[in-house]
Amino acid sequence: MGFRATPRVRSLHSFPGITVAQIDEEVAKLLQLKAQIGGDDGKHQFVLKTAKGTRDYNPKQMAIREKVFSTIIGCFKRHGAETIDTPVFELKETLTGKYGEDSKLIYDLKDQGGELLSLRYDLTVPFARYLAMNKITNIKRYHIAKVYRRDNPAMTRGRYREFYQCDFDIAGQYDAMIPDAECLKIVHEILSGLDLGDFRIKVNDRRILDGMFAVCGVPDDKFRTICSTVDKLDKMPWEDVRKEMVNEKGLSEEAADQIGEYVSLQGGMDLAERLLQDQKMSQSKQACAGLSDIKLLFSYLQLFQATDKVVFDLSLARGLDYYTGIIYEAVLTQAGVATVSTEAQNGAEESVSVGSVAGGGRYDGLVGMFDPKGRKVPCVGVSIGIERIFSIMEQKAEAAAEKVRTTEVQVMVASAQKNLLEERLQLVSELWNAGIKAEVMYKKNPKLLSQLQHCEESGIPLVAILGEQELKDGVVKLRVVASREEVQWRDVNSSIRRERR
Amino acid sequence: MGFRATPRVRSLHSFPGITVAQIDEEVAKLLQLKAQIGGDDGKHQFVLKTAKGTRDYNPKQMAIREKVFSTIIGCFKRHGAETIDTPVFELKETLTGKYGEDSKLIYDLKDQGGELLSLRYDLTVPFARYLAMNKITNIKRYHIAKVYRRDNPAMTRGRYREFYQCDFDIAGQYDAMIPDAECLKIVHEILSGLDLGDFRIKVNDRRILDGMFAVCGVPDDKFRTICSTVDKLDKMPWEDVRKEMVNEKGLSEEAADQIGEYVSLQGGMDLAERLLQDQKMSQSKQACAGLSDIKLLFSYLQLFQATDKVVFDLSLARGLDYYTGIIYEAVLTQAGVATVSTEAQNGAEESVSVGSVAGGGRYDGLVGMFDPKGRKVPCVGVSIGIERIFSIMEQKAEAAAEKVRTTEVQVMVASAQKNLLEERLQLVSELWNAGIKAEVMYKKNPKLLSQLQHCEESGIPLVAILGEQELKDGVVKLRVVASREEVQWRDVNSSIRRERR
């Protein structure tokens, strides 16, 4: 197949002001050529796998997933949340300008004619788009769905390119810190309910961070970049963070050291009180507003009996641009549970922290970015790091050598002799009609042993055993699989006697 | 911004045997250029919408969706099914060659480097890929997830580009027609359970169709195309179908007329019996095998008490290539429920049929297409047309002017006077901790009327009303919203008295 470069090249030459339509045509030609050459170089053999960074869930994993979801959804419903769903892809421009540097991780769909689309990167931006599009000014909703990031996957640590997010948000103009406190209460309830071991919820406020940067002498245009360096404090020691600030980001040593003093502080309401009196910090109006709100938050958390796990931590600086007020992040503190064993690239076993398991904050400006008139809808929300929780639960189930049931079958309809298929089918149908979860083997003449083995393997507690004698007597033998205890079941089977009336 | 064509053009010229990597680079450059020019020509204004053919689900729609899912999942679990999940995208080549002409409807992801990916088109191909990849030879599983087709959307009829599929499949080497009969029993249970009005389940067999084509004198290479014409019989009268066969597909008039006689036949086990004796049909071994299985199927369906809705219909010819044995399709027959009113483009009201609400069949060859050694895993399954069911349920809810509750809140914690925020927060927290679904307004001093209105609007049955006097007396007033009946609640509130111990 010859490569006809000439016409394409000419057309590009003759239109220095090339149009989008022409580019599309060029791209289509090149991609067609690529398809002719045969896709990725040398990879002509079909590979049986899932896409990089994704996984199937097998029935056991699904059983764990369902259990975790049911705890979480139970909590969201207890707090009166509604739920919504949005499409897996959005117009590309809906996502544009919302994720800063991370935008390069967005999956785009191929331009097959029509709209330019991207897979959703989180659930927060689609939520804000939904509110603006439907002019909704208050709602309390949860949304559990998969999101997509072309990130470097670390699947043993629960980091995938396709993963669940599990978000709860409260939108609306309300009195300060009441919905914010409820979000923290929800994190507290969920992490307690999932029984993942001890945890801490760190809280801080965007305004305190910004105020702190201002009073420490960070130039305005460096707030963001210094903030993202502070964000690394949970992975790097202070010395390295300081070095990055001074050497890479060009901050003065003095400013860096002042920041260093503040970000080492942790406490509760008392710390907020102290910082309100702090000579330097109290010069920032922003910081004071944030500190007063932290005080108010703690007073509400006391009423919610949730202060035991909450720490005001000035080093907490979440990456996302859209936060405007309080921010928080929950981490597991019990090392034994918080680590997941993984195979490092060199094959050695490595124990790594699963990191934060929930996070969120207040974002009062995001909805306004979508509203044609810029009308703001204040929002606060939390996202549960469900994939990490799955990893921990799977590991726990494996460690405990627990038998995870993947079906809920209560009765297996079996036969002890041959030629009882019709009777088995009839009985199992009666059970189904009565709402009983029941199974039958899809064989004409299965062996009793293999029917019993199936019960043992899949944890079915009861077997109904049909036999010629029992049919004549109008009874069914019911056996408890675990104890082998047997009873006769009288009434049910009048209709499945051999001699029908 | 200047367009630097020269270096790119030169590199293409000097490599007539261009590599994929080079094409990728060229494409990336062109697309970057496109981005600089500014995306689609002239479409610079941001549009607040979801992608074409997709929709958000609002809380009311989600409430209906959850109800439908719970009926369906309940049935799947009653029949002992496990569940799995697969990624939303697959390697492009996993989907290649599975959908015939419909492949053009597959959504591809943009080539951003790495693997070539496509959004799943159904759940059956990923299921077969999953079985082959994990060497699973028997499983009974359901899978409910969204699939993607770049089809012409008709959203008022429940046809979207992103839509749910709801599949139940039994894989494994079993005795004939037992799992097949269970699939039909499941359709019967689900459609009865959803209370959608009367329905029919049409059954036929790929082998009967093929045998019929053979004995009617259709040339082998025309089986597929004639089959897809027969498939149109539910939308077109026989005369038009005949015309298409003769004029467009070049079939002889005689053959067409013979087919016409057969496809007008409908019946039950008796029809299968009669066709087994039919002089022409009985010449085809394939047809006879199919007819015997239909007889067997009906005998099992009798045991399942499901024959009332099942019709053996020789005109049923489902489009998909991968079916190898029995096929079936369920349709709603009660016109009043089976139609959904829609706005036609000219603004006039139009009533359209929602068509089939479930379909499936046996596909014994698909898993083998993925297995490196071609090992076959026989499968039979059914897909519930959930989007059409949603459309009908939504319409029914609207027609009945039913109030659909979107939360499950049981108690609203309210106050009759000012300055009782703390007491409200404390009581609602106690209720949450006790597992009671409760809400509180996020205002310091909400009016009692607006608290009661919220209850009416969202269907909350009870209000706990706090007041100074009640707090002193150590009681909470509990009001039934509907009847305004009030009781005093004594024990709960010892801890929220004003004077704490």
Side-chain angles (χ1 to χ4, degrees), chain B residues 1 35 55 85 185 219 228 237 292 405 436 443 485:
Chain B
M1 184 109 229
R55 61 161 167 177
D85 195 18
K185 170 72 173 160
S228 77
S292 303
R405 275 202 76 181
I436 293 167
K443 299 269 181 188
E485 203 181 329

Side-chain angles (χ1 to χ4, degrees), chain A residues 50-316:
Chain A
T50 60
K52 185 179 177 188
T54 69
R55 60 161 167 177
D56 296 317
Y57 284 83
N58 67 32
K60 223 174 239 180
Q61 292 165 324
M62 287 299 282
I64 291 170
R65 180 172 125 176
E66 274 186 19
K67 209 179 123 192
V68 174
F69 279 162
S70 112
T71 302
I72 293 174
I73 293 172
C75 176
F76 292 158
K77 287 192 171 173
R78 195 158 59 241
H79 286 260
E82 305 179 297
T83 186
I84 68 160
D85 195 16
T86 64
V88 81
F89 43 70
E90 294 277 345
L91 297 187
K92 186 176 167 57
E93 51 186 345
T94 298
L95 308 190
T96 303
K98 308 301 185 305
Y99 303 108
E101 276 184 18
D102 288 346
S103 296
K104 63 178 186 296
L105 303 180
I106 294 174
Y107 277 99
D108 291 329
L109 267 73
K110 192 164 129 184
D111 186 355
Q112 293 169 290
E115 300 160 335
L116 292 179
L117 306 172
S118 300
L119 298 187
R120 62 183 163 210
Y121 183 84
D122 65 8
L123 302 178
T124 309
V125 167
F127 175 55
R129 192 265 307 145
Y130 173 82
L131 295 186
M133 193 173 131
N134 297 288
K135 299 193 174 53
I136 294 166
T137 54
N138 62 77
I139 189 172
K140 178 162 58 179
R141 81 89 180 80
Y142 70 91
H143 188 187
I144 299 182
K146 288 177 180 172
V147 302
Y148 299 87
R149 299 185 185 179
R150 292 182 63 253
D151 212 340
N152 215 8
M155 314 214 300
T156 44
R157 267 179 282 175
R159 197 166 80 217
Y160 295 87
R161 288 181 158 196
E162 170 183 66
F163 60 97
Y164 268 100
Q165 279 200 340
C166 194
D167 284 16
F168 172 94
D169 294 83
I170 301 171
Q173 186 69 58
Y174 298 120
D175 282 323
M177 291 297 117
I178 312 178
D180 313 60
E182 185 168 8
C183 287
L184 293 181
K185 170 73 173 159
I186 280 174
V187 175
H188 194 287
E189 282 181 30
I190 288 174
L191 294 182
S192 307
L194 288 173
D195 199 19
L196 298 166
D198 204 12
F199 61 91
R200 281 285 160 283
I201 307 171
K202 301 181 202 172
V203 302
N204 199 1
D205 193 295
R206 225 1 158 0
R207 294 164 298 172
I208 298 175
L209 281 165
D210 284 352
M212 174 184 84
F213 292 142
V215 300
C216 291
V218 178
D220 285 11
D221 61 344
K222 285 195 173 150
F223 277 19
R224 286 252 169 106
T225 184
I226 293 299
C227 189
S228 78
T229 305
V230 169
D231 198 24
K232 296 179 183 169
L233 268 173
D234 55 344
K235 286 163 215 119
M236 267 157 60
W238 165 249
E239 288 67 39
D240 296 348
V241 167
R242 184 181 184 280
K243 221 174 276 169
E244 187 177 310
M245 286 179 177
V246 175
N247 299 350
E248 287 176 37
K249 312 251 162 127
L251 194 66
S252 73
E253 298 211 341
E254 201 198 346
D257 288 335
Q258 287 186 19
I259 291 172
E261 274 180 42
Y262 283 122
V263 297
S264 68
L265 299 174
Q266 287 194 346
M269 198 192 275
D270 52 319
L271 175 60
E273 189 61 64
R274 221 170 70 216
L275 287 170
L276 274 171
Q277 313 300 326
D278 182 90
Q279 220 179 1
K280 214 176 338 205
M281 200 66 119
S282 60
Q283 286 166 17
S284 161
K285 267 193 184 172
Q286 261 202 306
C288 290
L291 289 164
S292 302
D293 274 351
I294 290 278
K295 276 180 62 185
L296 194 56
L297 177 75
F298 270 92
S299 75
Y300 294 152
L301 291 175
Q302 267 166 10
L303 299 167
F304 287 167
Q305 295 172 281
T307 43
D308 58 329
K309 308 290 186 192
V310 183
V311 188
F312 172 32
D313 183 329
L314 277 93
S315 74
L316 177 70

Side-chain angles (χ1 to χ4, degrees), chain A residues 8 12 24 34 49 52 56-57 82 85 115 129 146 150 175 182 185 406 442 444, chain B residues 8 12 24 34 49 52 56-57 82 85 111-112 115 129 146 175 182 406 433 442 444:
Chain A
R8 196 172 54 77
L12 286 179
D24 283 347
K34 177 173 169 179
K49 69 185 283 291
K52 185 179 177 188
D56 296 317
Y57 284 83
E82 305 179 297
D85 195 16
E115 300 160 335
R129 192 265 307 145
K146 288 177 180 172
R150 292 182 63 253
D175 282 323
E182 185 168 8
K185 170 73 173 159
T406 57
Y442 303 125
K444 278 188 193 165
Chain B
R8 194 172 56 76
L12 285 179
D24 282 345
K34 177 174 170 180
K49 67 185 283 291
K52 184 179 176 188
D56 296 316
Y57 284 82
E82 304 177 298
D85 195 18
D111 185 356
Q112 293 169 289
E115 301 161 334
R129 191 266 306 146
K146 287 176 180 174
D175 283 323
E182 185 168 8
T406 57
N433 293 346
Y442 303 125
K444 279 188 193 166

Side-chain angles (χ1 to χ4, degrees), chain A residues 3 8-9 12 16 18 20 23-24 26 30 33-34 37 39-41 46 48-52 54-59 62 65-66 77-80 82-89 91 93 106-113 115-117 129-130 133 140 142 146 148 150 162 170 173-175 178 182 185 189 300 303-305 370 406-409 421-422 425 429 432-433 435-439 442-444, chain B residues 3 8-9 12 16 18 20 23-24 26 30 33-34 37 39-41 46 48-52 54-59 62 65-66 77-80 82-89 91 93 106-115 117 129-130 133 140 142 146 148 150 162 170 173-175 178 182 185 189 300 303-305 370 406-409 421-422 425 429 432-433 435-439 442-444:
Chain A
F3 173 48
R8 196 172 54 77
V9 172
L12 286 179
I18 190 167
V20 167
I23 292 178
D24 283 347
E26 292 304 308
L30 281 165
L33 181 69
K34 177 173 169 179
I37 294 175
D40 288 44
D41 281 334
F46 176 67
L48 197 57
K49 69 185 283 291
T50 60
K52 185 179 177 188
T54 69
R55 60 161 167 177
D56 296 317
Y57 284 83
N58 67 32
M62 287 299 282
R65 180 172 125 176
E66 274 186 19
K77 287 192 171 173
R78 195 158 59 241
H79 286 260
E82 305 179 297
T83 186
I84 68 160
D85 195 16
T86 64
V88 81
F89 43 70
L91 297 187
E93 51 186 345
I106 294 174
Y107 277 99
D108 291 329
L109 267 73
K110 192 164 129 184
D111 186 355
Q112 293 169 290
E115 300 160 335
L116 292 179
L117 306 172
R129 192 265 307 145
Y130 173 82
M133 193 173 131
K140 178 162 58 179
Y142 70 91
K146 288 177 180 172
Y148 299 87
R150 292 182 63 253
E162 170 183 66
I170 301 171
Q173 186 69 58
Y174 298 120
D175 282 323
I178 312 178
E182 185 168 8
K185 170 73 173 159
E189 282 181 30
Y300 294 152
L303 299 167
F304 287 167
Q305 295 172 281
F370 288 106
T406 57
T407 75
E408 299 172 11
V409 176
L421 173 63
E422 295 198 355
L425 293 183
S429 174
W432 290 332
N433 292 346
I436 294 168
K437 291 166 192 148
E439 254 189 334
Y442 303 125
K443 297 271 182 188
K444 278 188 193 165
Chain B
F3 174 48
R8 194 172 56 76
V9 172
L12 285 179
I18 191 168
V20 167
I23 292 177
D24 282 345
E26 290 305 308
L30 281 164
L33 182 70
K34 177 174 170 180
I37 295 176
D40 287 42
D41 282 335
F46 175 68
L48 196 59
K49 67 185 283 291
T50 60
K52 184 179 176 188
T54 68
R55 61 161 167 177
D56 296 316
Y57 284 82
N58 66 32
M62 286 299 281
R65 180 172 126 178
E66 274 185 22
K77 287 192 170 174
R78 195 159 59 240
H79 286 260
E82 304 177 298
T83 186
I84 68 163
D85 195 18
T86 65
V88 82
F89 45 68
L91 298 187
E93 52 186 345
I106 294 173
Y107 276 99
D108 291 330
L109 266 72
K110 192 164 129 183
D111 185 356
Q112 293 169 289
E115 301 161 334
L117 306 172
R129 191 266 306 146
Y130 174 81
M133 193 173 131
K140 178 162 59 181
Y142 70 91
K146 287 176 180 174
Y148 299 87
R150 292 182 63 250
E162 169 182 68
I170 300 172
Q173 187 68 59
Y174 298 119
D175 283 323
I178 313 178
E182 185 168 8
K185 170 72 173 160
E189 283 181 29
Y300 295 152
L303 299 168
F304 287 166
Q305 296 172 280
F370 288 105
T406 57
T407 76
E408 299 172 10
V409 176
L421 172 64
E422 296 198 354
L425 293 183
S429 174
W432 290 332
N433 293 346
I436 293 167
K437 292 167 193 147
E439 255 189 335
Y442 303 125
K443 299 269 181 188
K444 279 188 193 166

